[in-house]
Structures are given as C-alpha cells and as structure tokens.
Amino acid sequence: MPDPVSPEEAARHREKMQARKAVQDAEVASKTLEKGLLIVHTGAGKGKSTAAFGLMLRMIGHGRRVAVVQFIKGAWGTGERALFERFGDLVTWHSSGEGFTWEVQDKARDIAAARAGWARVLELLADPGLSLLVLDELNIALRYDYLEIAEVVAALTARRADLHVVVTGRNARPELIEAADLVTEMKAVKHHFAAGVRAQSGIEF
Amino acid sequence: MPDPVSPEEAARHREKMQARKAVQDAEVASKTLEKGLLIVHTGAGKGKSTAAFGLMLRMIGHGRRVAVVQFIKGAWGTGERALFERFGDLVTWHSSGEGFTWEVQDKARDIAAARAGWARVLELLADPGLSLLVLDELNIALRYDYLEIAEVVAALTARRADLHVVVTGRNARPELIEAADLVTEMKAVKHHFAAGVRAQSGIEF
C-alpha cells in the first residue's frame, strides 16, 4: 500500500483540490436550467438497458413514477420485471415485442408489436404523473423502419417539459441524436463472448 | 406509420431472419464456458455506476446476494441505498469515501478511506455466498494511487471462479483492463451540462 503523506504533499494536495473545487462550484452555479431530458443510450457495448433500469430505480428511490415500454424483446426478463413490480404503482411496464426479430421471423407481426408499443407510449406521454419513461430497444424498431422516425421524434420533442425519456438500443438514428439532450455511446472495449464465455444468469439475463 | 408488408417482402424478411438466427444459434452453441466475470465500466460518459447498480438489481432478481463497496463518494445517494436495503440480506453496502476528493481536500483521509474500503473488499472476496461484488469508483482511487494497482489486480484475479466483479470509474488503469473479461467504455456523445442544464433529482442524484 502507498507510503504515508508528508506535510508538504498534503499541503500541495489541499491546494490543488481547493482550486478544483472552486472550478467545480463555479460550473455548478452556471447551470440553472431544469428540464426533462431526452436521453439516448446507444452503441454496441453492454449497459444500455441496464443503465436505463438503474435510472428507473433511482427515480423510484425519490418516490416518483416511472414506466417502461419494451420494444423487441427486452434485455430484462420476467424475474427483473417481477422485482420492479414490488414497487407497485410506481412502475408501469409494457412488453411490446415477442422476441428478438430474428427469432420471430415474421415482419408483419414485428410491425404490429412495435405499433402497439408506440400506441402505449403515446398514452404514457399524456400521463401527467409520470417522471421517467424508458423506451427500451426503440432504436431497433426505428432501425428496421417498424416506426417512422419523424413521427417518433416529433412526439418525443412535444412531450411536457418535465418528463425525462430514455431511449435505448444500438444504431440510434441521427434524427434522434440531434433531438436528444444527453447521448451516451456504450462502446465494447473487450468482450468475454470472444473468449468463448457463454451468457450467464445474473449478467446477461 | 409504415405501409403493410407484401407477401414477397415478408418472405425475404423471414429468410433473412432465419439466416441470422442460424448464425446466432451457432454462436451461442460455441460458447460453453461459465465463469465469474471481471467487468469494467469506464469512460467519461454517464451510466458507469448506474449500469452496475442495474446489474445488482438483475442479480437480486435471481435471488442471489450482491455487495457494493463505494470508493470516493458514490454516484448513488442515501435514497437509492435505502431502496436496495429493502432487499434485506441480499444486499451488503459499504460506503468508504466521504465525498469526492476535491470536496475533502485531505489526502491522508482519502487514503485511509480507500484502504478501509479495500479491507472490506478483501473480506467480501472471502464470502462464499456472494454472487456479485460492485467496486464503485475504485478506478478513481487507483488513479490517485490511493491503492496499489498490482495488489488490487492480484486480489481480483485470485477471486473464486464463480464470483462476478464490476469495477467502475473513469480512467481505468491498463493493468485492470488487461485482467478484465468485459470492458465497456461509456462515451459522452452529447451532454446537457454543456447546454446549461443543471444536475436534477432522479437523473444525477
């Protein structure tokens, strides 16, 4: 473990951190807007849906209502859904997809499922008591043109000012990124599947 | 909304998706290893801790025990901690840091907190009933050399074979990335702070 800190080093550290705190405080003071954010989690790496579900949990921790609409088969299974259901009325859940699209192999059914999900989104956008709406894997439905990007962006942009929305999925459309406030790309740096490790309970499902 | 699907298009889609499913099934079949993963969430973007807490939730959903040690001040507040405490014995929580390092301005105290956290990690690594251990913001403690990277990597590498570990924080050390099974970089594509939007309850805290 590291050596003890000398008085000189402690003083240097204190000075550096005070300067950093001053910058940090000024930055925080300069940001005054409050608004519902349109958040996008995209990229080929892991964590897109998982981080969205983590945000749901944080919002629930504040006693506020959240909803999720899963397009295509969700990254989360029935076990996790049951877990969220413990929070009762704070969580609304709609599963629109019936499985990943290459499992279903029926485009008309996929489109019908995406549209049913979108109809549910429009209802939830009109719910005045909702704080956070997660549109899980909506990017996949948009990528396959199961829903029209212009219609989706228009509806999300017209939402009420204090509603946060998270959209997940690879290959986010440029129109959605343009409209978003916060976009994070989950980038795969290293993946255990490449080393022959299988999907495991508690990690992938 | 998109036009209805013609029979020809439906057939093309089915064929394409069947081919994709075959590739997917072969890939899944080729992966046979099961092992506890060393997972790293790094990068300057959002979602590193949030995705780790999402994984905890998933693991809890399977009825398995998880633990988190927060180095430096955690990304999650007391509200979220209280939420996890609803799950009783399934969750063990240790907060090691007393605040971000530029708030504390006392290097010796920071080092002591990091070491106390690491001592707790060594205990948890020896707990045979644990399925997932989250080391939140450990990368920050390693970056400031509050803990020795060689000692940390050795202990994590020597863990029992079925224990999953998630390490979060910017600037992951190359030695840790080398030792990891799964590394995701959360990359900031677009951030609302740049547009003057402040940190808001339910999103940042």
Side-chain angles (χ1 to χ4, degrees), chain B residues 129-144:
Chain B
L130 201 64
S131 290
L132 172 68
L133 175 57
V134 173
L135 307 180
D136 191 45
E137 302 290 5
L138 174 62
N139 287 338
I140 308 292
L142 290 169
R143 187 192 174 198
Y144 282 99

Side-chain angles (χ1 to χ4, degrees), chain A residues 141-202:
Chain A
L142 289 169
R143 186 191 175 198
Y144 283 99
D145 286 318
Y146 292 168
L147 298 171
E148 271 175 22
I149 180 69
E151 181 177 342
V152 167
V153 168
L156 295 182
T157 306
R159 78 192 184 282
R160 74 185 145 75
D162 58 348
L163 176 64
H164 301 286
V165 175
V166 184
V167 176
T168 77
R170 299 180 177 214
N171 301 301
R173 299 280 294 256
E175 297 91 328
L176 183 68
I177 290 178
E178 174 62 32
D181 301 291
L182 169 61
V183 180
T184 305
E185 180 194 348
M186 275 65 170
K187 209 178 140 188
V189 174
K190 194 173 183 179
H191 203 295
H192 53 288
F193 286 176
V197 180
R198 59 183 287 176
Q200 294 171 96
S201 124

Side-chain angles (χ1 to χ4, degrees), chain A residues 200, chain B residues 34-37 158-164:
Chain A
Q200 294 171 96
Chain B
E34 287 218 0
K35 60 169 291 205
L37 300 174
R159 78 192 184 283
R160 74 185 145 75
D162 59 347
L163 176 63
H164 300 286

Side-chain angles (χ1 to χ4, degrees), chain B residues 42-114:
Chain B
T42 193
K46 291 181 75 75
K48 298 182 288 293
S49 296
T50 312
F53 289 111
L55 275 176
M56 286 173 61
L57 196 67
R58 171 175 288 165
M59 204 58 97
I60 294 166
H62 287 280
R64 284 150 74 184
R65 281 185 47 227
V66 304
V68 57
V69 177
Q70 292 189 287
F71 289 88
I72 322 297
K73 183 181 164 188
W76 283 55
T78 47
E80 291 77 20
R81 182 172 169 168
L83 202 71
F84 271 113
E85 279 167 359
R86 284 201 190 195
F87 301 112
D89 289 348
L90 289 180
V91 180
T92 304
W93 201 290
H94 176 88
S95 281
S96 146
E98 304 177 59
F100 286 105
T101 188
W102 52 87
E103 292 289 340
V104 174
Q105 303 166 8
D106 182 335
K107 189 170 180 177
R109 213 165 77 179
D110 278 351
I111 291 177

Side-chain angles (χ1 to χ4, degrees), chain A residues 1-2 9 20 33 35 58 62 64 107 115 144 151 177-178 189-190 198 200-201 203, chain B residues 1-2 9 20 33 35 58 64 107 115 144 151 177-178 183 190 198 200-201 203 205:
Chain A
M1 287 291 109
E9 197 188 341
R20 180 141 177 203
L33 275 174
K35 60 169 290 202
R58 170 174 288 162
H62 288 281
R64 284 149 75 184
K107 190 169 179 179
R115 288 189 190 181
Y144 283 99
E151 181 177 342
I177 290 178
E178 174 62 32
V189 174
K190 194 173 183 179
R198 59 183 287 176
Q200 294 171 96
S201 124
I203 300 294
Chain B
M1 289 288 108
E9 198 188 339
R20 180 140 177 202
L33 274 175
K35 60 169 291 205
R58 171 175 288 165
R64 284 150 74 184
K107 189 170 180 177
R115 287 189 191 179
Y144 282 99
E151 182 178 338
I177 290 177
E178 174 62 31
V183 180
K190 194 171 184 182
R198 59 183 290 175
Q200 294 171 96
S201 125
I203 300 294
F205 56 90

Side-chain angles (χ1 to χ4, degrees), chain A residues 38-55:
Chain A
L38 178 54
I39 300 171
V40 176
H41 294 170
T42 193
K46 291 180 74 74
K48 298 182 289 292
S49 296
T50 312
F53 289 111
L55 276 177

